């Protein structure tokens, strides 16, 4: 017997792609919604641009969906525009499903719940560890728009919900805009090929402070657990691996994995977007030399997103007490999450 009929929104992303694979392996019928069709084995592709209300309704017509897992977003030039576009996407989706008697909707947001938008990281000065009960920070934040749209639709249509707040997600994905693990693997590979030092690009604060991250499969497990556990419904949960680390140690360990000499952390950040501005040609040469599957570096990396995470001037540690009290106790060593990803990237011929 199948567990349920899941619609994974954002099925080609780092969160949605790993979730779709996990749910399929766990016995769900999985429909993968994205702008370009997913090619994952066992996932039924559904294509639509959620900004197009009519196209969304047409794409979802007659699909027997019981559970929705919302794992997508779109980046605009300002947070006000992010709020408008992302709010419209979720509204169009939930309106298209209004008559279907959906049982549950899960929303993935993240640590910007506590930090503020990309435009104003740390604007709320929320103390660590971040707890789900913390008030919203001042300023525009499209995460809040998504939550408000979800809550209103749940009240209207009678479905249960969960909000999941991962920190930076580590997992296998290609062509994703928020993909630190692959970005660091590509950076390390370029350093090794060119002989340049493996230099931490972020702030002294991030180098020295405690932090945490989220393995994509930890997030997938938590989403399935919350969606199928009535006692966990209608709650927000932080979603991190359960361990904490300092980048000054993790960076050394990543360097050792790639057999690199690790440079001292500079006094001021040296962003990857600036360091790697001429990396496209270098990567094509590396790809040709090693017969790699993807010669276009822009399809692998997200320099800007990794710079934003590593350049913060605030400690980032998420409290996981709530999820444990509600019964979710799965954990993952972050170092192993990185190393497993790097090993797979090599096996898939995406890095040397």
């Amino acid at each position: 017997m199948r567990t349920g009929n899941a619609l994974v929104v954002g099925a080609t992303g780092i969160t949605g792609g790993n979730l779709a694979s996990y749910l399929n392996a766990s016995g769900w019928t999985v429909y993968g919604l994205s702008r370009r069709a997913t090619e994952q084995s066992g996932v039924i592709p559904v294509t639509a641009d959620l900004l197009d209300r009519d196209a969304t309704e047409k794409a979802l017509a007659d699909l027997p969906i019981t559970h929705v897992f919302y794992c997508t977003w779109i980046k605009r030039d300002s947070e006000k525009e992010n709020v408008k576009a992302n709010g419209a996407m979720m509204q169009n989706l939930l309106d298209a499903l209004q008559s279907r008697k959906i049982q549950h909707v899960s929303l993935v947001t993240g640590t910007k719940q506590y930090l503020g938008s990309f435009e104003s990281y740390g604007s709320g000065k929320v103390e660590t560890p971040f707890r789900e009960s913390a008030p919203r920070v001042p300023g525009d934040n499209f995460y809040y728009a998504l939550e408000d749209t979800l809550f209103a639709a749940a009240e209207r249509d009678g479905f249960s919900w969960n909000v999941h707040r991962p920190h930076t997600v580590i997992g296998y994905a290609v062509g994703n805009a928020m993909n630190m693990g692959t970005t660091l693997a590509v950076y390390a590979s370029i350093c090794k090929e060119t002989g340049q030092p493996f230099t931490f690009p972020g702030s002294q604060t991030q180098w020295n402070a405690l932090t945490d991250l989220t393995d994509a499969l930890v997030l997938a497990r938590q989403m399935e657990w919350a969606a199928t556990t009535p006692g966990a419904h209608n709650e927000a949960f932080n979603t991190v691996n359960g361990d904490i680390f300092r980048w000054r140690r993790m960076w050394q360990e990543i360097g050792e994995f790639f057999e690199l000499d690790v440079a001292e952390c500079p006094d001021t950040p040296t962003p990857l977007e600036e360091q790697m501005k001429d990396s496209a040609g270098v990567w094509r040469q590396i790809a040709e030399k090693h017969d790699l599957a993807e010669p276009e570096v822009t399809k692998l990396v997200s320099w800007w997103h990794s710079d934003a995470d590593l350049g913060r001037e605030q400690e980032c540690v998420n409290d996981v007490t709530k999820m444990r009290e509600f019964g979710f106790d799965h954990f993952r060593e972050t170092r192993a999450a990185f190393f497993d990803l790097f090993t797979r990237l090599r096996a898939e011929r995406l890095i040397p």
Side-chain angles (χ1 to χ4, degrees), residues 64-99:
I65 305 301
T66 59
H67 293 70
V68 176
F69 298 89
Y70 194 92
C71 312
T72 193
W73 74 294
I74 191 167
K75 187 176 185 293
R76 294 299 194 228
D77 291 337
S78 71
E79 195 62 16
K80 285 187 180 297
E81 294 177 50
N82 283 339
V83 168
K84 181 179 179 181
N86 287 278
M89 288 167 61
M90 173 162 267
Q91 189 69 62
N92 289 342
L93 175 78
L94 295 178
D95 286 351
L97 295 171
Q98 183 176 359
S99 63

Side-chain angles (χ1 to χ4, degrees), residues 70-338:
Y70 194 92
C71 312
T72 193
W73 74 294
I74 191 167
K75 187 176 185 293
R76 294 299 194 228
D77 291 337
S78 71
E79 195 62 16
K80 285 187 180 297
E81 294 177 50
N82 283 339
V83 168
K84 181 179 179 181
N86 287 278
M89 288 167 61
M90 173 162 267
Q91 189 69 62
N92 289 342
L93 175 78
L94 295 178
D95 286 351
L97 295 171
Q98 183 176 359
S99 63
R100 309 296 180 77
K101 298 187 183 300
I102 297 297
Q103 296 176 24
H104 190 86
V105 178
S106 302
L107 166 64
V108 177
T109 59
T111 304
K112 289 194 296 297
Q113 174 81 18
Y114 313 111
L115 291 170
S117 69
F118 285 123
E119 295 176 359
S120 55
Y121 260 164
S123 61
K125 302 300 181 185
V126 179
E127 278 196 347
T128 56
F130 301 139
R131 295 192 178 95
E132 294 90 341
S133 58
R136 292 177 173 181
V137 302
D140 293 316
N141 192 324
F142 79 86
Y143 285 178
Y144 305 158
L146 291 175
E147 283 190 345
D148 290 343
T149 303
L150 172 66
F151 300 156
E155 180 71 20
R156 178 191 71 188
D157 299 337
F159 58 75
S160 57
W161 55 267
N162 285 110
V163 177
H164 300 268
R165 298 171 182 168
H167 198 175
T168 301
V169 178
I170 304 300
Y172 181 81
V174 178
N176 186 262
M178 302 175 75
N179 194 342
M180 179 190 284
T182 303
T183 298
L184 296 186
V186 169
Y187 174 50
S189 299
I190 290 174
C191 288
K192 187 170 184 177
E193 288 288 330
T194 61
Q196 68 187 83
F198 188 53
T199 303
F200 185 72
S203 68
Q204 284 281 339
T205 299
Q206 286 304 301
W207 181 252
N208 292 305
L210 291 170
T211 193
D212 52 28
L213 295 178
T214 304
D215 182 89
L217 291 180
V218 171
L219 176 56
R221 285 174 181 266
Q222 193 195 75
M223 292 181 75
E224 182 191 37
W225 161 80
T228 57
T229 304
H233 288 174
N234 304 329
E235 298 286 347
F237 293 103
N238 290 337
T239 316
V240 289
N241 289 341
D243 63 351
I244 54 177
F245 65 93
R246 300 182 200 275
W247 274 110
R248 67 190 187 204
R249 184 172 182 179
M250 184 69 75
W251 198 257
Q252 181 68 44
E253 291 172 332
I254 292 174
E256 290 171 358
F257 182 94
F258 287 98
E259 300 177 331
L260 290 167
D261 291 329
V262 177
E264 290 295 322
C265 178
D267 291 335
T268 58
T270 56
L272 291 172
E273 197 159 31
E274 177 63 25
Q275 285 192 57
M276 296 288 105
K277 63 183 179 181
D278 298 321
S279 62
V282 174
W283 188 253
R284 287 192 197 98
Q285 293 175 5
I286 294 172
E288 182 176 359
K289 176 181 176 181
H290 295 280
D291 190 29
L292 300 183
E294 181 51 69
E296 298 301 322
V297 73
T298 55
K299 295 182 179 180
L300 297 173
V301 303
S302 52
W303 305 128
W304 69 272
H305 180 258
S306 297
D307 284 339
D309 276 4
L310 300 176
R312 295 170 182 155
E313 295 293 345
Q314 177 177 336
E315 179 182 76
C316 296
V317 176
N318 290 270
D319 191 305
V320 293
T321 303
K322 182 178 179 181
M323 73 177 190
R324 288 171 174 162
E325 287 182 337
F326 273 77
F328 183 80
D329 57 5
H330 188 75
F331 66 91
R332 182 83 160 100
E333 184 195 29
T334 300
R335 179 178 58 175
F338 272 121

